[in-house]
Amino acid sequence: MTFQAPKGTFDWLPPRSERALAVREAMSAPARLAGYGYIETPTFEDTALFARGVGESTDIVSKEMYTFEDKGGRSITLRPEGTAPVVRAVLQHGLHNGRLPVKLWYSGNNFRYERAQKGRYRHFSQVGVEALGAEDPALDAEVILLAVDGYAALGLTGVRLLLNTLGCKECRPAYRAALQGFLRGLDLDDATRQRAELNPLRVLDDKRPEVQAQLAGAPLVTDHLCGACKAYHEEVRALLTAAGVSHTDDPRLVRGLDYYTRTTFEFVHGGLGSQSAVGGGGRYDGLSEMIGGPALPGVGWAIGVDRTVLAMEAEGLFGEEEPPGPVQVYGVPLGEDARRRLFLLLTELRRAGVAADMAFGGRGLKGALKGADRSGASYAVILGERDLAEGSAQVKDLASGEQIAVPLAEIVTTLKERLTT
Ligand code: AMP
């Protein structure tokens, strides 16, 4: 019997897996330049952290969590998102008692029991940033710019920024009530009615056409903002515009997690079909208190690594060619003594920073040279018993076919020179 990866999961295999690494690298580089430190939290947490932090009425908590009881009888949940764990860690270690804002970035896997389709998986990977302990429109703008610059560094041109504000605890209750009043007058199924009572903003996020059609006249949060929220939002927009970041105001943008306040945003890409969000985030000033901490404002985002790779592929950023093979030099030993000597030579080459591999398993010259071609290496080093007796090896340029004998003691310097010119 052979096994398959579980439904909704997939394997990143080389050479395509390099693309995922490139996305993680590019999306975290701007954060590192802006003083964000790397944080790694456990892959699982107490279930209650997500139930309280993400919100009982969200799809994530009500339907999608991988929850189980461990052998000690604790309820454990595989991390469905990265923000609540980061805030938990900040509070646990008192990072918020030091210099503010606390700036952190992370990279890791998340787990959600979702309906699997292209771009939506049960196991997926995110890079995220969080900045805690300051409520400042410049911090919201900084955080957004970190993502904008990351996408730009990857060469993506089709990412659009959708921007909204959700108000604060002063102005949101009145908006919530107005929206609830409106939703009560619509023709909705029981589950959606229930949701309208629990968390009416989330109904705006309902993607079903029969629901969307009825939402055309829904009251907009932007018409119910208090003065402070309005001014805050205007400042975020002005800072983004000054930094050359274009954005689209989307007063319906609410996102799927309960903890957002004020600035909310999403990055979407046109080349991905229905799963168009490549990243999203916002301000979550109430989250710390929801999980038992002091008032601690925060703002952050998470970008989907898998979907960002799909977006880059949709834009043709990797071309037709697969990335070049990972080695520069390929060793071809002919005979046991030659194998031992070549093994040492390859070790020397690698220690000198040259990527090198060799034929394993006692293949003949023809098979080993085929391996050399497949490896994508620029040079083969062929070592036979006679070469060994003469203290030299054959260095073959695999592009031109030219072959020369080089003394064993000079192989490393010769190859290093040739590879750098
Ligand atoms: P969220 O935590 O839901 O705000 O998601 C942030 C980003 O993570 C989204 O914009 C997606 O790019 C990515 N993402 C969320 N859920 C999934 C999933 N099930 N599969 C793949 N990517 C996802």
Side-chain angles (χ1 to χ4, degrees):
M1 185 181 105
T2 56
F3 289 101
Q4 305 274 314
K7 188 175 161 72
T9 72
F10 68 97
D11 302 303
W12 279 107
L13 303 174
R16 188 170 175 257
S17 51
E18 291 292 327
R19 299 174 181 180
L21 287 179
V23 166
R24 289 198 191 112
E25 176 62 31
M27 294 311 297
S28 56
R32 279 177 276 159
L33 272 179
Y36 288 68
Y38 177 65
I39 183 169
E40 206 171 298
T41 62
T43 303
F44 56 83
E45 299 269 358
D46 273 349
T47 300
L49 172 67
F50 299 115
R52 284 209 256 151
V54 179
E56 301 274 9
S57 73
T58 60
D59 281 353
I60 292 182
V61 173
S62 62
K63 301 189 219 158
E64 298 172 356
M65 296 208 299
Y66 281 88
T67 298
F68 61 96
E69 193 170 292
D70 73 7
K71 296 196 191 309
R74 302 169 196 89
S75 181
I76 293 291
T77 293
L78 300 186
R79 172 174 64 208
E81 62 93 46
T83 303
V86 167
V87 176
R88 192 267 308 138
V90 166
L91 296 175
Q92 178 179 337
H93 302 287
L95 302 186
H96 58 300
N97 299 323
R99 193 161 55 97
L100 297 178
V102 182
K103 290 177 160 188
L104 299 165
W105 74 273
Y106 61 85
S107 170
N109 294 325
N110 296 322
F111 308 83
R112 295 183 195 171
Y113 192 77
E114 299 207 65
R115 220 153 21 108
Q117 53 179 278
K118 185 165 189 204
R120 192 203 273 168
Y121 311 108
R122 294 182 177 172
H123 170 270
F124 60 97
S125 162
Q126 289 183 335
V127 170
V129 305
E130 313 291 353
L132 293 122
E135 201 173 1
D136 181 337
L139 193 57
D140 301 39
E142 168 178 296
V143 156
I144 292 172
L145 266 156
L146 298 178
V148 169
D149 287 352
Y151 290 128
L154 287 168
L156 281 165
T157 53
V159 176
R160 279 200 313 135
L161 167 61
L162 307 179
L163 189 65
N164 193 20
T165 173
L166 293 179
C168 63
K169 58 176 185 280
E170 301 304 319
C171 53
R172 185 122 66 128
Y175 171 62
R176 192 177 183 277
L179 182 60
Q180 225 157 26
F182 172 85
L183 294 174
R184 283 185 190 131
L186 302 185
D187 177 22
L188 300 169
D189 58 88
D190 284 347
T192 313
R193 269 184 191 290
Q194 245 174 0
R195 178 175 292 171
E197 293 309 314
L198 270 171
N199 193 342
L201 269 72
R202 298 218 44 252
V203 179
L204 294 179
D205 207 23
D206 198 314
K207 301 284 188 294
R208 291 172 298 175
E210 65 273 23
V211 178
Q212 278 302 322
Q214 297 188 69
L215 292 174
L220 297 176
V221 63
T222 32
D223 295 330
H224 289 77
L225 296 175
C226 63
C229 281
K230 212 178 261 178
Y232 194 98
H233 195 53
E234 279 315 309
E235 183 63 13
V236 173
R237 296 173 72 218
L239 288 166
L240 288 175
T241 304
V245 177
S246 56
H247 55 268
T248 307
D249 291 314
D250 181 354
R252 298 278 183 83
L253 180 71
V254 293
R255 301 185 36 76
L257 291 70
D258 267 0
Y259 50 56
Y260 288 102
T261 51
R262 287 197 167 163
T263 310
T264 313
F265 54 90
E266 203 152 81
F267 294 98
V268 293
H269 193 276
L272 297 180
S274 59
Q275 303 305 312
S276 61
V278 286
R283 180 159 277 288
Y284 46 85
D285 292 347
L287 174 57
S288 168
E289 285 151 296
M290 278 157 83
I291 61 171
L296 185 65
V299 59
W301 49 249
I303 71 102
V305 172
D306 315 80
R307 277 190 212 166
T308 303
V309 172
L310 291 175
M312 293 175 71
E313 288 171 347
E315 286 194 21
L317 289 173
F318 298 107
E320 290 297 307
E321 292 274 295
E322 288 297 343
V327 300
Q328 300 166 291
V329 174
Y330 194 88
V332 176
L334 303 168
E336 277 317 301
D337 292 339
R339 167 180 310 280
R340 286 188 198 105
R341 185 64 188 88
L342 199 55
F343 183 83
L344 285 182
L345 194 61
L346 287 198
T347 304
E348 260 182 82
L349 277 166
R350 291 174 189 152
R351 286 179 180 157
V354 175
D357 193 9
M358 69 187 272
F360 290 99
R363 295 155 86 187
L365 179 64
K366 216 167 130 203
L369 280 175
K370 207 183 264 173
D373 278 334
R374 285 211 187 117
S375 75
S378 309
Y379 293 95
V381 177
I382 306 161
L383 189 62
E385 299 295 331
R386 208 173 66 204
D387 299 313
L388 194 57
E390 286 168 8
S392 63
Q394 305 294 320
V395 171
K396 182 173 182 180
D397 181 329
L398 289 167
S400 68
E402 179 209 1
Q403 186 170 314
I404 50 164
V406 176
L408 283 170
E410 289 166 28
I411 296 260
V412 174
T413 36
T414 306
L415 282 171
K416 273 211 90 159
E417 239 165 57
R418 290 199 171 211
L419 285 164
T420 46
T421 50

